[in-house]
Amino acid sequence: MPLSIDLITLGVPQVEAAGAFYASAFSTTASDNEHTTDLDLHGTGQLALQQIDALATDSGTMPATSGFRGYVLSSIVNQPAEVKALLGAATAKGAMVIKPAKKQLFGEFTAVYRTPDGAVWKLAAASKKDTDPVPDPPKPTETAIYLGVAKPKASRAFYERLGMSVNHDYGDKFIDFTIADGVCRLGLLPRKALAKDAGVDEHGDGFSALVLTHTAASRDDVDALLTAAGSAGGRVTAAATQTDQGDYAGHFTDPDGYHWRITTPA
């Protein structure tokens, strides 16, 4: 089974507060589990919120983080007015505008904000003009996560070894991968270029407060993906084992240090 992003988990200082923010900003429903808050991004992916210290412990790293975390989350909608509506909903709940909603140099209509928990989100319209009334609420047509990496072509080779298929390939400028319904898209940019596009300083260190989860079909698939990650240049940080939550899961980091969890239900 090829690798896919079935769940994005963000480490946050306060799960309840972050859950309230995201539920309001994206007009979605938050469901609380024992240790996390889960949100369905209108069928374009799943987002989970976990206390950052616990997420770091689960990932085998230290919780401290500062500056740019190395990634940008993105919500793509149909038209510019929906970008404005989503930005307004986010700022009303405490988000800080990094780039206001406007048409960019090459015609793309975007906005960028930082959430109260520190994550950076980019909003983008698929079309350049408004053609329809703004739906209430605006619903994304796609959710993506863009990772800032040392060399996109090298990272592409790693992810291809894990079964992902390239969609757009602009060499060491930008690469992304095809997606299936209900999961998030993965994109790769040089870290400096990604930070510049988002309007933030590129410097930062510590735990990224991010874990990407793939749900495999079987224990054999979990083991196979972990083995493939290790042989392709990643690092297996936790061998697969039965967890207290009842699933079978292991962890690896990609060549740029981003954390992945591979799991299957027991």
Side-chain angles (χ1 to χ4, degrees):
M1 177 185 292
L3 188 70
S4 60
I5 303 176
D6 300 307
L7 176 70
I8 295 175
T9 302
L10 300 180
V12 299
Q14 296 181 325
V15 173
E16 184 177 355
F21 169 83
Y22 282 104
S24 179
F26 288 100
S27 297
T28 190
T29 301
S31 59
D32 295 324
N33 298 318
E34 184 178 359
H35 302 291
T36 65
T37 292
D38 298 336
L39 303 103
D40 182 355
L41 299 175
H42 300 286
T44 65
Q46 300 288 324
L47 182 69
L49 307 169
Q50 186 174 351
Q51 210 283 328
I52 189 169
D53 290 353
L55 184 63
T57 298
D58 290 346
S59 305
T61 188
M62 298 296 292
T65 182
S66 63
F68 182 44
R69 297 178 179 178
Y71 62 87
V72 173
L73 296 145
S74 181
S75 187
I76 295 90
V77 291
N78 284 317
Q79 54 188 352
E82 294 174 52
V83 170
K84 294 178 181 178
L86 285 178
L87 182 63
T91 54
K93 294 299 180 180
M96 182 187 76
V97 176
I98 299 174
K99 284 188 173 184
K102 68 176 184 178
K103 185 177 180 180
Q104 303 301 319
L105 181 61
F106 296 105
E108 185 183 30
F109 193 93
T110 66
V112 180
Y113 66 82
R114 180 177 282 110
T115 68
D117 60 84
V120 175
W121 282 80
K122 180 178 181 179
L123 308 173
S127 62
K128 299 178 182 180
K129 295 182 179 180
D130 294 320
T131 57
D132 298 299
V134 177
D136 184 18
K139 295 182 179 180
T141 58
E142 181 181 304
T143 298
I145 183 162
Y146 300 106
L147 304 181
V149 300
K151 294 183 179 180
K153 288 196 292 185
S155 292
R156 177 201 66 194
F158 171 81
Y159 283 108
E160 285 180 323
R161 291 276 298 275
L162 274 63
M164 300 187 82
S165 300
V166 169
N167 187 32
H168 301 96
D169 186 347
Y170 298 98
D172 274 329
K173 292 184 178 180
F174 172 76
I175 294 168
D176 68 5
F177 299 89
T178 56
I179 59 171
D181 291 341
V183 301
C184 298
R185 186 185 297 276
L186 175 65
L188 308 169
L189 290 86
R191 181 185 175 97
K192 184 176 182 179
L194 179 61
K196 181 178 180 181
D197 180 70
V200 299
D201 187 280
E202 68 180 286
H203 298 97
D205 53 30
F207 179 46
S208 63
L210 170 77
V211 174
L212 305 175
T213 295
H214 169 76
T215 302
S218 67
R219 290 190 174 208
D220 287 344
D221 284 345
V222 171
D223 293 336
L225 278 170
L226 290 172
T227 299
S231 63
R235 183 170 68 92
V236 176
T237 57
T241 186
Q242 190 82 22
T243 73
D244 292 340
Q245 289 73 44
D247 59 347
Y248 180 76
H251 292 252
F252 73 82
T253 56
D254 75 0
D256 292 278
Y258 294 102
H259 292 261
W260 283 82
R261 183 175 190 266
I262 311 300
T263 182
T264 192

